[in-house]
Amino acid sequence: MVTPTSSNLTTSNKNTATLRSLLRYALPLNSTIAVGDPDTAINWAVVVRAQPASYPEIYGGELALLSMEVLRIYEARITLQNVIRTLADSGIQAIAVEGDMTQQDMDVATECGVALLMLPEGTGLASVERAVNRLIVNQSAQVNERAIDIQRQLTRLAAENRDLSSLLQVMVRATTKPMVVHDDAGVLIAQAYPAVGRRATGRNLVQSVPYSAFQKWLKGDAPTSQGTISSSPIGYTTVLKVEKRVAGYLSLLEQGDDLDEFDQLVLTYGADVCAIELAKNRAISAAVEQARGDWIQMWLSGTPADDDLLRTRAQQSGFDPNVPYVVSVFRAVSANGQTLPLESLISLVRDDMARRQVEGAVGQYVDVIVTLYPMEDASSLARIRIAIDELRQQLATRTPSGLVAAGISRPAEGLSMLRDAYREAKDAVSIAGELNDMEHTTFYGDLKLYQLLLALKERSLTNLHQFYEETLAPLVEHDERKQSDLIRTLDGFFNANGNLAKAAQDLDVHRNTLVYRLERISELTNLDLNDADNRLILHLALKVQRVLSAVRVN
């Protein structure tokens, strides 16, 4: 290699660029600073070539771009350490090397006071030279060129059917800031953090922002127009739209600083490609779930004689009926109890199951949405009940009346048993409706007592009234006359399974206050709460009160 020519002249171009800005706007993605200060300024870029005739003069303050593989073609024994020392003596400010380097190479760079950068293999040094010098001469033009290059990379990845996380990684490497994608309900579905630098800051930022704060912001202040970027509780957020409907949100996590031009461009271009990816995923999920939904229609309208055919169709749809499932149904009604159309809600149910990675099935049957949730183990039931109730709440926000009820069956296995489970889930909604509850989630297994009471109501309503009058009526009358809380206290006592400490905490009263109220309940009802039979009578009386209240409303 020829020793570079050092000149005493200073460059006439006083523009400079820092290594930090080079990483963002000019150097290939995945380039890193191995040694040196990111704020080190360079005034030009030169490619170190092995042929003497094409080696440029160095004036001081430049960035040298080199490939050791190329240099060794002409001088096999040359080392990176020798090159670093030679270039440092000539006034080079920083060196960018294609390929790997050793700790010894970095130690020499530190010793010589030269910044050292690592470029990914396969880097075209000539194109990097042009990009760096264009940034120094005309930053705005290079920033736009870089953003367009990011857009090309994102489009190529989308064409290769890469997932959202892969797309976010490209944007994160370009902006050096964390980025996240939420679905239209504000649930996190993808995230990516920089490999270095701000990773911890970004992760801590997401964890430190209350989930409810972002949820509240989405409901009131989130952008609805495509291309609009708004400040949000976690940084800067833009909307992702699919078929003119909000499908999610893309956010860049940055607090305190104004969003610069480059970040705005990346966020805008990234939103376009992420929306396409969401649309593609939604179309695939809809096609799969449509096949499963058609199967649900056949299954519920079929008979046991059709089970062999239905089992084959189920397996073709990617659904295994031979594992335990929980069946749930959702019904939307108006304020006067009239059933509402469900077509607009089915896609939301499918999206929720896809987001939770539930390998179940969704379909519509008559006036309800039917879902099947697979049971992994006995402990899954509690998680499934929570998931179904969260989904019901989401559906309620998309329903004009806001009244959506959900019913949940007990776990079942096999086509015939699953039909029974469907009836349980639908009965749970119906029984809750009879109790004048049209906007909660009801588990069939919790309704045994109400089933008995509703049956008694049909046969002997007078006896139920008499039982109520002899047990709870004195407490109700006392509460109305004295503005007290004896009924609420009794209900809280039973909900806490007789645990005084827990009941006092749930009712937000002192333990002594709770004890006094329970003693007053015993006096008014002439029933000693220390007796198990008396406790059963009063607990049953509370259930009867609810049934009779529903009768009066109806």
Side-chain angles (χ1 to χ4, degrees):
M1 182 187 75
V2 166
T3 302
T5 304
S6 178
S7 171
N8 293 326
L9 297 175
T10 59
T11 177
S12 60
N13 181 4
K14 296 183 179 179
N15 293 336
T16 61
T18 65
L19 298 183
R20 190 191 308 277
S21 64
L22 295 187
L23 288 174
R24 294 193 67 194
Y25 307 132
L27 298 181
L29 297 180
N30 292 332
S31 299
T32 58
I33 299 176
V35 174
D37 185 351
D39 293 321
T40 299
I42 63 105
N43 54 33
W44 203 247
V46 294
V47 176
V48 177
R49 297 177 174 87
Q51 296 176 351
S54 60
Y55 197 89
E57 288 189 344
I58 292 176
Y59 297 93
E62 291 94 344
L63 167 69
L65 305 166
L66 61 91
S67 166
M68 290 305 299
E69 183 178 352
V70 171
L71 296 181
R72 289 185 178 121
I73 294 175
Y74 299 94
E75 193 171 339
R77 301 176 62 184
I78 194 171
T79 67
L80 179 55
Q81 296 170 38
N82 293 337
V83 175
I84 292 172
R85 288 193 173 93
T86 301
L87 292 175
D89 290 342
S90 302
I92 283 289
Q93 191 78 0
I95 303 170
V97 182
E98 177 195 356
D100 296 331
M101 58 186 65
T102 66
Q103 183 60 49
Q104 288 78 12
D105 298 330
M106 291 184 270
D107 292 341
V108 170
T110 302
E111 176 189 329
C112 296
V114 175
L116 194 59
L117 295 87
M118 184 184 301
L119 305 177
E121 291 186 7
T123 298
L125 298 184
S127 62
V128 173
E129 180 184 36
R130 289 192 298 271
V132 171
N133 292 334
R134 185 164 54 238
L135 177 66
I136 293 172
V137 173
N138 187 343
Q139 178 168 328
S140 179
Q142 176 57 27
V143 167
N144 280 281
E145 179 64 29
R146 176 70 156 198
I148 292 172
D149 181 56
I150 298 300
Q151 184 185 36
R152 292 194 197 102
Q153 292 188 50
L154 292 172
T155 303
R156 177 176 53 80
L157 289 176
E160 294 173 355
N161 294 321
R162 305 293 286 275
D163 58 13
L164 279 174
S165 295
S166 299
L167 300 179
L168 288 183
Q169 285 293 347
V170 172
M171 291 182 270
V172 164
R173 288 196 295 266
T175 62
T176 69
K177 294 164 186 151
M179 300 191 76
V180 296
V181 174
H182 292 83
D183 66 11
D184 58 328
V187 178
L188 185 68
I189 57 177
Q191 58 187 320
Y193 301 89
V196 294
R198 300 191 185 189
R199 176 169 183 165
T201 303
R203 191 178 299 275
N204 292 337
L205 178 60
V206 173
Q207 294 173 346
S208 65
V209 174
Y211 181 71
S212 58
F214 189 65
Q215 286 277 337
K216 182 178 179 181
W217 179 85
L218 287 179
K219 292 178 181 178
D221 303 313
T224 56
S225 301
Q226 195 162 354
T228 301
I229 299 174
S230 301
S231 177
S232 71
I234 58 175
Y236 294 90
T237 301
T238 188
V239 68
L240 306 177
K241 282 198 165 184
V242 174
E243 298 178 351
K244 298 183 180 180
R245 184 169 73 86
V246 173
Y249 302 91
L250 173 66
S251 300
L252 182 147
L253 308 188
E254 178 78 346
Q255 293 288 353
D257 298 329
D258 291 333
L259 200 63
D260 62 32
E261 178 189 5
F262 179 70
D263 288 345
Q264 289 184 43
L265 290 171
V266 171
L267 200 53
T268 300
Y269 294 152
D272 292 339
V273 180
C274 286
I276 293 172
E277 185 64 23
L278 284 179
K280 188 165 51 179
N281 292 341
R282 181 164 293 178
I284 294 171
S285 297
V288 172
E289 289 303 332
Q290 182 62 50
R292 293 181 175 180
D294 293 343
W295 174 81
I296 283 180
Q297 293 251 3
M298 294 175 59
W299 159 56
L300 291 177
S301 58
T303 65
D306 304 322
D307 281 358
D308 288 340
L309 174 61
L310 290 173
R311 190 174 292 105
T312 302
R313 289 293 302 272
Q315 292 169 348
Q316 290 173 347
S317 300
F319 176 75
D320 184 2
N322 297 316
V323 299
Y325 286 88
V326 168
V327 180
S328 70
V329 300
F330 298 91
R331 175 185 287 159
V333 297
S334 62
N336 60 7
Q338 185 177 4
T339 302
L340 297 176
L342 300 169
E343 286 73 13
S344 62
L345 301 180
I346 291 180
S347 61
L348 298 176
V349 178
R350 288 173 176 155
D351 289 347
D352 184 80
M353 295 188 76
R355 175 175 56 79
R356 297 178 188 272
Q357 298 181 334
V358 175
E359 293 295 329
V362 180
Q364 182 176 348
Y365 189 67
V366 191
D367 60 347
V368 295
I369 295 174
V370 183
T371 61
L372 281 78
Y373 287 80
M375 289 275 295
E376 297 176 0
D377 50 52
S379 65
S380 300
L381 181 59
R383 295 195 300 271
I384 292 173
R385 290 178 63 171
I386 292 172
I388 291 172
D389 188 56
E390 290 175 349
L391 175 56
R392 184 200 60 77
Q393 294 178 50
Q394 288 184 39
L395 298 180
T397 64
R398 306 299 179 88
T399 305
S401 65
L403 299 177
V404 176
I408 305 174
S409 76
R410 293 171 296 182
E413 181 178 339
L415 292 176
S416 296
M417 296 299 292
L418 283 173
R419 285 194 191 95
D420 293 337
Y422 160 74
R423 285 187 281 271
E424 285 188 358
K426 194 168 183 182
D427 285 348
V429 171
S430 300
I431 292 171
E434 286 192 64
L435 297 172
N436 204 35
D437 184 352
M438 296 180 289
E439 53 179 331
H440 290 95
T441 300
T442 307
F443 177 55
Y444 184 83
D446 295 337
L447 293 175
K448 296 183 180 69
L449 183 56
Y450 285 112
Q451 288 174 285
L452 172 64
L453 295 177
L454 288 169
L456 289 175
K457 177 203 72 172
E458 299 297 330
R459 292 174 174 271
S460 184
L461 183 60
T462 302
N463 289 338
L464 282 183
H465 271 294
Q466 182 180 350
F467 179 77
Y468 167 76
E469 291 293 334
E470 293 174 353
T471 52
L472 281 194
L475 303 183
V476 173
E477 187 273 335
H478 183 276
D479 280 350
E480 292 175 351
R481 183 165 47 86
K482 298 287 189 178
Q483 298 296 306
S484 58
D485 273 333
L486 296 186
I487 291 292
R488 176 172 169 267
T489 300
L490 185 62
D491 192 46
F493 174 72
F494 287 129
N495 286 337
N497 293 319
N499 185 316
L500 293 179
K502 186 178 187 306
Q505 181 180 6
D506 292 343
L507 293 167
D508 195 23
V509 297
H510 192 277
R511 190 176 185 278
N512 292 342
T513 301
L514 174 63
V515 171
Y516 169 77
R517 289 181 182 178
L518 293 175
E519 290 175 350
R520 189 72 180 122
I521 289 170
S522 294
E523 292 173 5
L524 291 171
T525 60
N526 292 316
L527 294 171
D528 183 3
L529 285 172
N530 291 319
D531 184 278
D533 289 342
N534 290 338
R535 288 198 300 271
L536 176 60
I537 290 171
L538 287 173
H539 201 177
L540 184 60
L542 288 172
K543 308 299 183 184
V544 170
Q545 181 191 36
R546 186 177 177 188
V547 171
L548 294 178
S549 297
V551 170
R552 285 194 291 271
V553 170
N554 293 332

